[in-house]
Amino acid sequence: MAALFAVGAQGVHEDGTSLVTHFPPGTDLEAVHATITAADPMVVIETSLVPDVDWSEAWKSRITSHELGALTVTPPWLAEGRDPARTIVIEPGMAFGTGEHATTRGVVRLLPARLRAGDTVADLGAGSAILAIAAAKLGAARVYAVELDGEAIPDAESNVRRNGVADRVHVFEADAAAILPLVAPVRLVLANIISSVLIELLPIIGMALTDDGSAILSGILQEERETMLQVLAAHGWTVLAEDAEDIWWSVAIAKA
């Protein structure tokens, strides 16, 4: 591997027993072969030309717009010409939640049936604040976007401003279990978190909801569905609606 870097390799990837690397245009391949062979006379070398790609721009082709019922989630470069009232524009960054993950899409699809105009909403594990923004676009009067990861907060705040909902969405760097009782009562809780954390939060979510409130949970594998249904029933929750995509399951619930 040291020999590869010595002759100008731009990163090295281990693929089983092979090493894969890339050299910039104009590299003297004869010199590369000589150096590598000197380091390991038994080495087998295979080379091929690849297109000259600007990866700083090419990655954008992997991000698409998603039509999710009442709302569309899109990156900024695909937002032109769309209705701002029905469009969530998310700049892909470090924070989780660009619309590219099925767990996010599941919550957005379940959201319109659970949300009333003027509701107060808590988005736990908010990441990019995409779900908080969705709630505001659908008519929530106040949304608390709670995220424990401090590195995600700038992305969340930027997305809130970009979507014109800063007057309704308030981003907090905090532990969901600690802050939810402080912002209660709320009529709707959104939580796209791993199932083990969701189970821990169920009692706190139940106490934070209004009498007619509900919650939408996501981040649950379809193979965990039966176990989660048993847990929900044991905690006194009723299933209102379900959404499934790929290996993921989302569910809307209310206290029985």
Side-chain angles (χ1 to χ4, degrees), residues 102 106 109-110 222 225 242-251:
R109 284 190 291 261
L110 290 169
Q222 290 213 50
R225 177 181 178 274
E242 302 178 44
D243 183 275
E245 181 184 347
D246 194 17
I247 63 171
W248 300 99
W249 182 67
S250 305
V251 61

Side-chain angles (χ1 to χ4, degrees), residues 79-90:
E80 186 175 352
R82 296 183 178 273
D83 179 4
R86 298 186 63 255
T87 304
I88 304 171
V89 181
I90 299 293

Side-chain angles (χ1 to χ4, degrees), residues 135-223:
K137 295 264 185 178
L138 290 171
R142 182 179 295 107
V143 187
Y144 302 108
V146 183
E147 175 55 54
L148 184 60
D149 182 1
E151 293 186 353
I153 298 300
D155 282 345
E157 292 176 334
S158 177
N159 287 325
V160 167
R161 291 191 298 270
R162 179 180 292 108
N163 284 275
V165 294
D167 59 328
R168 284 159 284 163
V169 177
H170 310 281
V171 179
F172 294 92
E173 180 184 347
D175 178 78
I179 202 169
L180 188 53
L182 301 180
V183 300
V186 298
R187 190 170 177 276
L188 181 62
V189 170
L190 312 176
N192 183 9
I193 313 173
I194 60 173
S195 57
S196 59
V197 176
L198 292 174
I199 292 170
E200 292 178 4
L201 288 173
L202 281 175
I204 299 170
I205 292 173
M207 289 186 290
L209 288 174
T210 59
D211 290 340
D212 62 344
S214 59
I216 300 175
L217 312 180
S218 194
I220 307 163
L221 292 167
Q222 290 213 50
E223 65 189 41

